[in-house]
Coordinates of all heavy atoms in Angstrom, one line a residue:
L22 N 6.1 19.0 -14.9 CA 6.1 19.2 -16.3 C 5.1 20.3 -16.7 O 5.4 21.2 -17.6 CB 5.7 17.9 -17.1 CG 6.8 16.9 -17.0 CD1 6.3 15.6 -17.7 CD2 8.0 17.4 -17.8
V23 N 3.9 20.3 -16.1 CA 2.9 21.3 -16.4 C 3.4 22.7 -16.0 O 3.3 23.7 -16.7 CB 1.5 21.0 -15.8 CG1 0.6 22.2 -15.9 CG2 0.9 19.7 -16.4
A24 N 3.9 22.8 -14.8 CA 4.4 24.1 -14.3 C 5.6 24.6 -15.1 O 5.8 25.9 -15.2 CB 4.8 23.9 -12.8
C25 N 6.4 23.8 -15.7 CA 7.6 24.2 -16.4 C 7.3 24.4 -17.9 O 8.2 24.8 -18.6 CB 8.7 23.2 -16.3 SG 9.3 23.1 -14.6
G26 N 6.1 24.2 -18.3 CA 5.7 24.5 -19.7 C 6.0 25.9 -20.1 O 6.0 26.8 -19.3
K27 N 6.2 26.1 -21.4 CA 6.5 27.5 -21.9 C 5.4 28.4 -21.6 O 4.2 28.2 -22.1 CB 6.9 27.4 -23.3 CG 7.3 28.7 -23.9 CD 7.8 28.6 -25.3 CE 8.2 29.9 -25.9 NZ 8.5 29.9 -27.3
K28 N 5.6 29.5 -21.0 CA 4.6 30.5 -20.8 C 4.7 31.5 -21.9 O 5.7 32.0 -22.3 CB 4.9 31.3 -19.4 CG 4.8 30.4 -18.2 CD 3.4 30.0 -17.9 CE 3.5 29.2 -16.5 NZ 2.6 28.1 -16.5
V29 N 3.5 31.8 -22.5 CA 3.4 32.8 -23.6 C 3.1 34.2 -23.0 O 2.1 34.3 -22.3 CB 2.4 32.3 -24.6 CG1 2.4 33.3 -25.8 CG2 2.7 30.9 -25.1
A30 N 3.9 35.1 -23.3 CA 3.6 36.5 -22.8 C 2.5 37.1 -23.6 O 2.2 36.8 -24.7 CB 4.9 37.3 -22.9
P31 N 1.7 38.0 -22.9 CA 0.6 38.7 -23.6 C 1.2 39.6 -24.7 O 2.4 40.0 -24.6 CB -0.1 39.5 -22.5 CG 0.8 39.5 -21.3 CD 1.8 38.3 -21.5
I32 N 0.4 40.0 -25.6 CA 0.9 40.9 -26.7 C 1.4 42.2 -26.1 O 0.8 42.8 -25.2 CB -0.2 41.1 -27.8 CG1 0.4 41.7 -29.0 CG2 -1.4 41.9 -27.2 CD1 -0.5 41.6 -30.2
T33 N 2.5 42.7 -26.7 CA 3.0 44.0 -26.3 C 2.7 45.0 -27.3 O 3.1 44.9 -28.5 CB 4.6 43.9 -26.2 OG1 4.9 42.8 -25.3 CG2 5.2 45.2 -25.6
L34 N 1.9 46.0 -26.9 CA 1.5 47.1 -27.8 C 1.9 48.4 -27.3 O 2.1 48.6 -26.1 CB -0.1 47.1 -27.9 CG -0.7 45.8 -28.6 CD1 -2.2 45.9 -28.4 CD2 -0.3 45.7 -30.0
P35 N 2.2 49.3 -28.2 CA 2.6 50.7 -27.8 C 1.4 51.4 -27.1 O 0.2 51.1 -27.3 CB 3.0 51.4 -29.1 CG 2.3 50.6 -30.1 CD 2.1 49.2 -29.6
Q36 N 1.7 52.4 -26.3 CA 0.7 53.3 -25.8 C 0.1 54.2 -26.9 O 0.8 54.6 -27.8 CB 1.3 54.2 -24.7 CG 1.8 53.4 -23.5 CD 0.7 52.7 -22.8 OE1 -0.4 53.2 -22.5 NE2 0.9 51.4 -22.5
T37 N -1.2 54.5 -26.8 CA -1.8 55.3 -27.9 C -1.1 56.6 -28.1 O -1.0 57.1 -29.2 CB -3.3 55.5 -27.5 OG1 -3.9 54.2 -27.3 CG2 -4.1 56.2 -28.6
D38 N -0.7 57.3 -27.0 CA -0.1 58.6 -27.1 C 1.3 58.6 -27.7 O 1.8 59.6 -28.1 CB -0.1 59.3 -25.8 CG 0.6 58.6 -24.7 OD1 1.0 57.4 -24.9 OD2 0.8 59.2 -23.6
E39 N 1.9 57.4 -27.8 CA 3.2 57.3 -28.4 C 3.1 57.1 -30.0 O 4.1 57.4 -30.7 CB 3.9 56.0 -27.9 CG 4.3 56.0 -26.4 CD 4.8 54.7 -26.0 OE1 4.8 53.7 -26.8 OE2 5.3 54.6 -24.9
I40 N 1.9 56.8 -30.4 CA 1.7 56.5 -31.9 C 1.3 57.8 -32.6 O 0.4 58.5 -32.2 CB 0.6 55.5 -32.0 CG1 0.9 54.2 -31.3 CG2 0.3 55.2 -33.5 CD1 -0.2 53.2 -31.2
T41 N 2.1 58.1 -33.7 CA 1.8 59.3 -34.5 C 0.7 58.9 -35.5 O -0.1 59.7 -35.9 CB 3.0 59.9 -35.1 OG1 3.7 58.9 -35.9 CG2 4.0 60.4 -34.1
S42 N 0.8 57.7 -36.0 CA -0.2 57.2 -37.0 C -0.1 55.7 -37.1 O 0.9 55.1 -36.6 CB 0.0 57.8 -38.4 OG 1.2 57.3 -39.0
I43 N -1.1 55.1 -37.7 CA -1.1 53.6 -38.0 C -1.3 53.5 -39.5 O -2.3 54.0 -40.0 CB -2.2 52.9 -37.2 CG1 -2.0 53.0 -35.7 CG2 -2.2 51.4 -37.6 CD1 -3.0 52.3 -34.9
D44 N -0.4 52.8 -40.1 CA -0.5 52.5 -41.5 C -1.1 51.0 -41.7 O -0.5 50.1 -41.1 CB 0.8 52.5 -42.3 CG 1.4 53.9 -42.3 OD1 0.6 54.9 -42.0 OD2 2.6 54.1 -42.5
I45 N -2.2 50.9 -42.4 CA -2.9 49.6 -42.6 C -2.7 49.3 -44.0 O -3.0 50.0 -44.9 CB -4.4 49.7 -42.3 CG1 -4.6 50.3 -40.9 CG2 -5.0 48.4 -42.5 CD1 -4.2 49.4 -39.8
T46 N -2.1 48.1 -44.3 CA -1.8 47.6 -45.6 C -2.5 46.3 -45.8 O -2.4 45.3 -45.1 CB -0.3 47.4 -45.9 OG1 0.3 48.7 -45.6 CG2 -0.1 47.0 -47.3
F47 N -3.4 46.2 -46.9 CA -4.0 45.0 -47.3 C -3.8 44.9 -48.8 O -4.3 45.7 -49.5 CB -5.5 45.0 -46.9 CG -6.2 43.7 -47.2 CD1 -6.0 42.6 -46.5 CD2 -7.1 43.6 -48.3 CE1 -6.6 41.4 -46.7 CE2 -7.8 42.5 -48.6 CZ -7.5 41.3 -47.8
G48 N -3.1 43.9 -49.2 CA -2.8 43.7 -50.6 C -1.9 44.9 -51.0 O -0.9 45.1 -50.4
E49 N -2.3 45.6 -52.1 CA -1.5 46.7 -52.6 C -1.9 48.0 -52.0 O -1.4 49.1 -52.4 CB -1.7 46.7 -54.1 CG -1.2 45.5 -54.8 CD 0.3 45.3 -54.7 OE1 1.1 46.3 -54.8 OE2 0.7 44.1 -54.4
N50 N -2.9 48.0 -51.2 CA -3.5 49.3 -50.6 C -3.0 49.6 -49.2 O -3.0 48.7 -48.4 CB -5.0 49.2 -50.6 CG -5.6 49.0 -52.0 OD1 -5.6 49.9 -52.8 ND2 -6.1 47.8 -52.2
T51 N -2.5 50.8 -49.0 CA -2.0 51.3 -47.7 C -2.7 52.6 -47.4 O -2.8 53.5 -48.3 CB -0.5 51.5 -47.7 OG1 0.1 50.2 -48.0 CG2 -0.1 51.9 -46.3
V52 N -3.3 52.7 -46.2 CA -3.9 53.9 -45.8 C -3.3 54.2 -44.4 O -3.2 53.4 -43.5 CB -5.4 53.8 -45.7 CG1 -6.1 55.0 -45.1 CG2 -6.0 53.5 -47.0

Side-chain angles (χ1 to χ4, degrees):
L22 288 173
V23 169
C25 293
K27 184 177 179 185
K28 300 286 187 222
V29 181
I32 193 165
T33 305
L34 295 171
Q36 297 297 314
T37 303
D38 59 353
E39 297 174 349
I40 301 170
T41 56
S42 68
I43 297 179
D44 295 343
I45 306 292
T46 305
F47 184 72
E49 299 295 315
N50 300 289
T51 301
V52 175

